[in-house]
C-alpha cells in the first residue's frame, strides 16, 4: 500500500508562527502558495476548482493585491498576479513570474529591499523560461539564473531560508497556459529540457548557498497524481509538496517535526471528487516514468545524507512544544536535497513575537 508522510495544520501553523513566507513562480508555485494558505487555517485539501482558478479576488481569506482579475486576464508572458494572506501570526505572499530574471523581477527585488524581509523564500521558474522566450534557451537561462541568485543574495539577510524547487516531471503530451500555438512544437521535447534545466538551476542555486529541493526526483514515481494536462498536479501531490517544504524548513531551523504517516487511500478519501486525474500506467520496466528514459529517473547529482548523531535539544517549555523539539541548526544533507553549507540563526517563534509591520488588506511593503 502506498504511504505518504504528511504535515498537520497544527504543525504548519506552529512552525511558521510569526514567519513571513514568500512564494515566487508559475501556476505550480501558485498552487504551492494556496495549499500552504489553506493548511495554515484548516485540515483540508484544495478542491479541483481552487487548483484550476487563477487571479480570483479572494482565496481562503487572502486578497488579490495586483494583477489577476483586477486587470485583463491572459496567458502572455506579461501576466501578473500578486496575492497575500495575513493572519495574526502568519504572512504569506505570492508573485506570479514567467522568467527567473526580468524587469518585473527587479521590481520584486525593490519590494524586498524596501519592505519586510522574508523568513522563507520558495521559488521556481523554468517551464516558461525555456519555452516562451528563446529557442536556444540554455545560455540565456543560465545567465538569468546567475543574475537572479547574485542579486537575491545581496538583498535578503543571511538568516532567510531560500528554497529553490526543481521543476516537477512533465508528461509526454502536455498542454497549458504557457503552451501557446507558437511554441507547441516544443511540447514533445520539453520534458527532457526540464531535466537539463533542473541540473543547471540546482547546481547554481547550491553554489550560491541556496537550498535545493528536488521535486523532480521526489515525484518521479508519483506520476499518477499528475493531471491530464501533463503539467499540473492534484491536491494530494500538493500536500506532499507542502510537507516536503515544511520538513525541509524545520530541518534547516533545527526543529524536529515528526510527520504523520498515512495511506494514500486514506488521504484520497478526504479529497473532493475528481474527474481530472488520470492514473499513470504501471509497467515492470524502468521506462514506466511516462516516457522518461532510465538515466533520467535517478537523482544522480544530488548529495547524499550524513549520518552523524543530532546535537542535544534546546529547552522549550512543554506547553509550547506540541510535537516539536528545538535543536541547533545542523549541516546535515537531507536525502535527495542539496543543502546550503551555512547555518542559519533562528529565533524561537513562540517567545519572540514580531510587531505588526504590514497592513491586513491590499497593501504590502
Amino acid at each position: 500500500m502506498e504511504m505518504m508522510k504528511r504535515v498537520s495544520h497544527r504543525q504548519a501553523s506552529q512552525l511558521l508562527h510569526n514567519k513571513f513566507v514568500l512564494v515566487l513562480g508559475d501556476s505550480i508555485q501558485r498552487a504551492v502558495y494556496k495549499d500552504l494558505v489553506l493548511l495554515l487555517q484548516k485540515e483540508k485539501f484544495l478542491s479541483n476548482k481552487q487548483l484550476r482558478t487563477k487571479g480570483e479576488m479572494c482565496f481562503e481569506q487572502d486578497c488579490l493585491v495586483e494583477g489577476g482579475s483586477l486587470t485583463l486576464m491572459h496567458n502572455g508572458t506579461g501576466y501578473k498576479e500578486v496575492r497575500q494572506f495575513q493572519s495574526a501570526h502568519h504572512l504569506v505572499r505570492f508573485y506570479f513570474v514567467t522568467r527567473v530574471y526580468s524587469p518585473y523581477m527587479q521590481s520584486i527585488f525593490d519590494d524586498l529591499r524596501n519592505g519586510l524581509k522574508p523568513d522563507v523564500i520558495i521559488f521556481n521558474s523554468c517551464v516558461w523560461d525555456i519555452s516562451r522566450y528563446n529557442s536556444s534557451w540554455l545560455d540565456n537561462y543560465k545567465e538569468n539564473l546567475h543574475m537572479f541568485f547574485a542579486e537575491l543574495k545581496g538583498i535578503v539577510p543571511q538568516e532567510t531560508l531560500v528554497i529553490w524547487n526543481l521543476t516537477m516531471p512533465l508528461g509526454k503530451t502536455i498542454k497549458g497556459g504557457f503552451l501557446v500555438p507558437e511554441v507547441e512544437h516544443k511540447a514533445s521535447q520539453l520534458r527532457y529540457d526540464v531535466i537539463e534545466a533542473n541540473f543547471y538551476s540546482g547546481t547554481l542555486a547550491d553554489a550560491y548557498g541556496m537550498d535545493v529541493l528536488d521535486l523532480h526526483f521526489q515525484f518521479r514515481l508519483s506520476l499518477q497524481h499528475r493531471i491530464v494536462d501533463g503539467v499540473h498536479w492534484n491536491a494530494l501531490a500538493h500536500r506532499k509538496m507542502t510537507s516536503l517544504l515544511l520538513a525541509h524548513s524545520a530541518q534547516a531551523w533545527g526543529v524536529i517535526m515528526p510527520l504523520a504517516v498515512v495511506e494514500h487511500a486514506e488521504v484520497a478519501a478526504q479529497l473532493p471528487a475528481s474527474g481530472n486525474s488520470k492514473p499513470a500506467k504501471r509497467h515492470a520496466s524502468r521506462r514506466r516514468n511516462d516516457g522518461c528514459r532510465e538515466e533520467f529517473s535517478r537523482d544522480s547529482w544530488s548529495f547524499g545524507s550524513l549520518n552523524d548523531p543530532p546535537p542535544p535539544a534546546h529547552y522549550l517549555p512543554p506547553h509550547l512544544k506540541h510535537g516539536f523539539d528545538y535543536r541547533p541548526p545542523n549541516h546535515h544533507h537531507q536525502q535527495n536535497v542539496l543543502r546550503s553549507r551555512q547555518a542559519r540563526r533562528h529565533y524561537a517563534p513562540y517567545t519572540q513575537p514580531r510587531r505588526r509591520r504590514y497592513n491586513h488588506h491590499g497593501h504590502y511593503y
Side-chain angles (χ1 to χ4, degrees):
M1 182 66 70
E2 196 175 5
M3 307 297 288
M4 172 185 173
K5 291 184 177 180
R6 187 178 65 166
V7 67
S8 69
H9 155 65
R10 169 180 261 187
Q11 287 175 318
S13 181
Q14 293 178 344
L15 181 69
L16 298 180
H17 186 93
N18 283 358
K19 292 287 198 297
F20 172 21
V21 180
L22 177 63
V23 183
L24 302 164
D26 57 14
S27 54
I28 297 288
Q29 299 304 106
R30 177 171 52 220
V32 169
Y33 161 85
K34 285 186 171 183
D35 191 67
L36 182 58
V37 167
L38 181 63
L39 185 60
L40 285 173
Q41 299 177 78
K42 59 188 77 171
E43 199 76 67
K44 289 186 66 177
F45 291 87
L46 292 169
S47 69
N48 298 320
K49 181 179 180 181
Q50 289 173 328
L51 282 168
R52 292 193 303 266
T53 304
K54 72 175 186 178
E56 65 269 46
M57 290 299 299
C58 183
F59 163 80
E60 294 291 341
Q61 309 302 316
D62 85 339
C63 62
L64 179 65
V65 177
E66 180 184 347
S69 58
L70 292 172
T71 57
L72 180 64
M73 301 280 284
H74 59 86
N75 289 326
T77 56
Y79 176 75
K80 293 182 176 63
E81 183 177 342
V82 182
R83 315 194 64 86
Q84 181 164 290
F85 166 76
Q86 181 182 338
S87 69
H89 296 287
H90 303 102
L91 177 63
V92 188
R93 188 184 301 161
F94 167 73
Y95 291 88
F96 184 91
V97 298
T98 63
R99 204 171 196 181
V100 67
Y101 193 80
S102 65
Y104 181 59
M105 183 58 68
Q106 291 174 324
S107 73
I108 296 174
F109 284 152
D110 289 339
D111 291 342
L112 295 179
R113 286 189 188 94
N114 301 322
L116 191 68
K117 299 300 186 289
D119 298 285
V120 185
I121 298 177
I122 299 168
F123 188 38
N124 170 268
S125 185
C126 176
V127 176
W128 286 70
D129 293 75
I130 67 178
S131 63
R132 288 292 294 270
Y133 292 98
N134 196 324
S135 57
S136 302
W137 56 267
L138 183 56
D139 289 339
N140 184 260
Y141 185 52
K142 288 166 68 175
E143 181 182 358
N144 284 339
L145 285 167
H146 273 294
M147 291 190 291
F148 171 78
F149 290 134
E151 191 162 346
L152 179 65
K153 193 168 184 178
I155 295 172
V156 298
Q158 185 177 358
E159 294 79 20
T160 297
L161 175 62
V162 182
I163 304 176
W164 175 263
N165 292 340
L166 298 193
T167 305
M168 299 171 72
L170 296 183
K172 184 176 181 180
T173 303
I174 61 175
K175 55 185 178 181
F178 71 93
L179 204 62
V180 294
E182 292 80 4
V183 297
E184 282 182 347
H185 64 281
K186 297 183 178 182
S188 61
Q189 179 64 26
L190 202 55
R191 68 190 191 277
Y192 301 119
D193 290 341
V194 160
I195 295 167
E196 187 174 6
N198 277 344
F199 174 81
Y200 288 109
S201 69
T203 302
L204 285 173
D206 185 60
Y208 276 96
M210 315 296 178
D211 287 24
V212 181
L213 182 58
D214 192 344
L215 293 180
H216 194 285
F217 178 87
Q218 294 286 351
F219 285 87
R220 76 200 189 285
L221 302 180
S222 300
L223 304 181
Q224 69 273 22
H225 300 300
R226 190 173 57 204
I227 66 174
V228 293
D229 69 0
V231 178
H232 297 94
W233 297 72
N234 65 17
L236 184 60
H238 276 285
R239 184 51 49 86
K240 181 179 178 181
M241 285 183 236
T242 301
S243 298
L244 288 168
L245 287 162
L246 293 182
H248 183 86
S249 301
Q251 186 186 37
W253 291 331
V255 178
I256 295 178
M257 186 179 69
L259 301 183
V261 180
V262 294
E263 294 181 0
H264 273 176
E266 177 185 343
V267 176
Q270 306 172 39
L271 296 174
S274 172
N276 65 346
S277 182
K278 183 177 180 180
K281 294 181 180 179
R282 295 288 184 176
H283 302 285
S285 168
R286 289 290 298 275
R287 292 178 177 268
R288 69 179 182 269
N289 293 331
D290 202 15
C292 292
R293 297 193 293 272
E294 179 178 351
E295 62 266 29
F296 295 133
S297 64
R298 297 193 302 266
D299 186 29
S300 57
W301 58 281
S302 286
F303 288 58
S305 59
L306 303 178
N307 297 313
D308 299 332
H314 288 318
Y315 172 76
L316 191 68
H319 70 284
L320 293 179
K321 285 191 176 182
H322 296 297
F324 293 88
D325 282 328
Y326 272 79
R327 298 175 184 267
N330 55 64
H331 303 284
H332 294 185
H333 292 303
Q334 189 176 358
Q335 187 177 8
N336 308 319
V337 177
L338 292 174
R339 294 296 311 282
S340 169
R341 306 302 189 272
Q342 301 296 323
R344 293 177 181 81
R345 182 167 55 83
H346 178 53
Y347 64 89
Y350 309 108
T351 58
Q352 298 181 22
R354 293 184 169 188
R355 293 183 302 164
R356 294 171 66 88
R357 295 195 292 174
Y358 38 80
N359 296 326
H360 184 67
H361 293 293
H363 300 284
Y364 59 93
Y365 58 89

